[in-house]
Amino acid sequence: MQKILAKTLFFSISASASLLVSTGNLKANAQNQSFNNNEITSYAQAVLAMEPERQQAFGEIKKIVGNGEVPQIVCSEPNSLNNLPGRARDIAVNYCNHSQKIVSDYGLTPDKFNRMTVEIQSNADLKQQVYNALIRLQKNTNSQ
């Protein structure tokens, strides 16, 4: 059960990150980055903390958009927010603001979080380390 939840959350990293990161500028900067264990754990904690809010925000935006597809929302790109209908834009902005606070609360800068997110897409070792951190954090949460 924990592994299924970890996989689900791991796949949602891309979705959470799509609300935070503009990958265009970061790909060149993210390659060959090394991240320490504390940063990896902080990243996993931030993703776990953001996930319920991401799901809620996505669900609310989907209801507003209706049958249309929810456009990609990138917090660092105002145009992606401005293209949303009024209430959906408010929900996305609130999510973006709170997600940045969550990232900061776990000791990462938005830039570091974004670089890790981009690096995970192409670095299998980092992806596995984050996955392992997610499982470890879930086990600790479930055993308390």
Side-chain angles (χ1 to χ4, degrees), residues 61 64-66 71 80-92:
I61 291 170
I64 293 167
V65 172
S80 75
L81 300 173
N82 292 336
N83 292 332
L84 292 168
R87 178 73 181 120
R89 181 175 43 252
D90 293 343
I91 292 166

Side-chain angles (χ1 to χ4, degrees), residues 20-32:
L20 291 175
V21 66
S22 171
T23 58
N25 326 353
L26 293 172
K27 280 191 178 171
N29 295 336
Q31 292 177 353
N32 299 321

Side-chain angles (χ1 to χ4, degrees), residues 46-140:
V47 168
L48 286 170
M50 282 189 282
E51 180 57 14
E53 292 184 38
R54 183 200 65 80
Q55 287 181 359
Q56 181 179 355
F58 183 82
E60 289 177 28
I61 291 170
K62 189 162 181 64
K63 285 179 190 173
I64 293 167
V65 172
N67 291 336
E69 198 170 307
V70 175
Q72 182 177 8
I73 300 166
V74 181
C75 294
S76 61
E77 292 181 10
N79 285 339
S80 75
L81 300 173
N82 292 336
N83 292 332
L84 292 168
R87 178 73 181 120
R89 181 175 43 252
D90 293 343
I91 292 166
V93 167
N94 287 337
Y95 172 80
C96 289
N97 290 337
H98 195 247
S99 292
Q100 288 177 350
K101 183 182 178 329
I102 289 170
V103 167
S104 175
D105 287 348
Y106 284 102
L108 297 173
T109 64
D111 184 56
K112 174 76 81 169
F113 181 89
N114 290 343
R115 284 195 319 250
M116 290 180 78
T117 299
V118 171
E119 181 71 13
I120 284 169
Q121 306 308 313
S122 61
N123 182 330
D125 183 50
L126 179 60
K127 183 184 252 185
Q128 186 63 48
Q129 289 176 56
V130 171
Y131 177 78
N132 291 342
L134 287 167
I135 291 174
R136 186 178 66 252
L137 290 167
Q138 289 173 324
K139 283 181 182 177
N140 290 344

